[in-house]
Amino acid sequence: MLHDAPSAVIAGTGSYLPVKVMTNADMAKIVDTNDEWIVARTGIKARHIADSEYETTSFMASEAAKKALEAAQLKPEDIDAIIVATTTPDLTFPSVAAQVQAMLGVPPCVAFDVQAVCSGFLYALSVADKFIKTKSAENILVIGAERMSKILDWNDRTTCVLFGDGAGAVVLKAHGDTKRGVIATNLYADGRLKDILLTSGGTATTGDAGMIQMQGKDVFKYAVTFMAEMVDDILKQADVKREEINWLVPHQANLRIISGAAQKLGLPMEQVIITLDSHGNTSAASIPLALDQGVRDGRIKQGQMLLMEAVGGGLTWASALVRY
Ligand code: ACO
């Protein structure tokens, strides 16, 4: 860490979920599936699906950001950087971050998107942490926002039942208390594994997006291995013991992967924030959505140690230790 560098503290969280809820029973009307299979294999019971007209990725990101700003007691003009993690931007360009800047009325500032699929929010958090530690920014909106529904093959039951739409945001703030804030982040990617989880076509812009294709069993195997390895790495790097972790806030892809990770940490499931059952896999939005839920329902309290981890397309994988 840089000498006398400020720490990057989570000063506020927020989220947005589309109005429309689609249950497993609704899914069974579209593809040959059933609630029992989906719950047993994944833990998912329902997901939110964005309205194709107005619930764009930028809109959802802005709504989540407004709530995070309110929670942090900051105004749009206090923000000096916006970093959005998304794999489903509304347009190839401008970035979702630039659109959020305009929608919120943030004065000209640093604004860009990060693309690391389900690991995207932790990539964005890591970049934002470095902006703060190098004193390049003081108040950063870090957002994960996804409209996965537009890159789903709605005829493919092996993928369409897994995903949902939404956005989560945090305000990361420069702070003098170096015991709080982002303690460590670790980012990884191995593009040689691209073929087991990818989209079939172009960018995620309306109309010409490719669709998600996944070799679920292979992704599952790598997810379990990477989750275990990166937990060991980050705890060692930060000199933090397993017993010090109060909450696991994982990417929400599959309950079996999450419970495996919790078990390895020796954490009971009561110390894991789960939103998968009602959100499905919202890719880069899933961790900030879970974080916001844990904060707003009072489970996550100031001073507690959070471990976040994710595996996604790329393959990418990432972890973060944060003292809230
Ligand atoms: N409903 C009913 N049956 C189904 C469904 C469905 N929705 N989907 C598949 N099946 C059937 C299959 O056809 C297969 O039938 P068969 O035995 O007659 O051939 C059977 O169920 C078993 O299918 P599997 O694919 O072997 O099921 P598995 O236990 O592997 O579970 C799952 C699939 C849930 C996708 C799992 O592999 C998984 O969670 N993988 C990891 C996903 C993940 O972590 N993704 C990472 C992030 S995503 C991102 O980055 C964008």
Side-chain angles (χ1 to χ4, degrees), residues 46-59:
R47 70 288 292 146
H48 291 251
I49 300 294
D51 179 272
S52 58
E53 291 294 316
Y54 79 96
E55 283 170 326
T56 61
T57 303
S58 309
F59 172 82

Side-chain angles (χ1 to χ4, degrees), residues 8 13 17 25 86 113 122 125-126 130 137 156 163 170 176 219 249-250 287 293 297 321:
T13 65
L17 287 162
T86 186
D113 291 356
L122 297 182
L125 189 77
S126 180
K130 287 162 180 69
D156 177 10
F163 295 91
V170 304
V219 178
V249 189
I287 290 179
Q293 186 155 311
D297 67 23
L321 264 178

Side-chain angles (χ1 to χ4, degrees), residues 138-203:
E138 285 190 359
N139 295 310
I140 308 182
L141 270 170
V142 187
I143 305 169
E146 299 281 18
R147 210 168 109 195
M148 300 304 281
S149 57
K150 72 176 175 180
I151 58 165
L152 290 178
D153 179 350
W154 288 95
N155 296 310
D156 177 10
R157 67 174 182 173
T158 68
T159 51
C160 73
V161 302
L162 304 175
F163 295 91
D165 301 331
V170 304
V171 172
L172 215 56
K173 188 175 178 47
H175 204 283
D177 181 355
T178 50
K179 288 199 182 69
R180 282 184 66 206
V182 179
I183 291 167
T185 54
N186 276 339
L187 312 178
Y188 312 82
D190 187 346
R192 291 170 299 181
L193 299 171
K194 74 176 172 58
D195 292 333
I196 63 171
L197 178 53
L198 77 168
T199 52
S200 56
T203 55

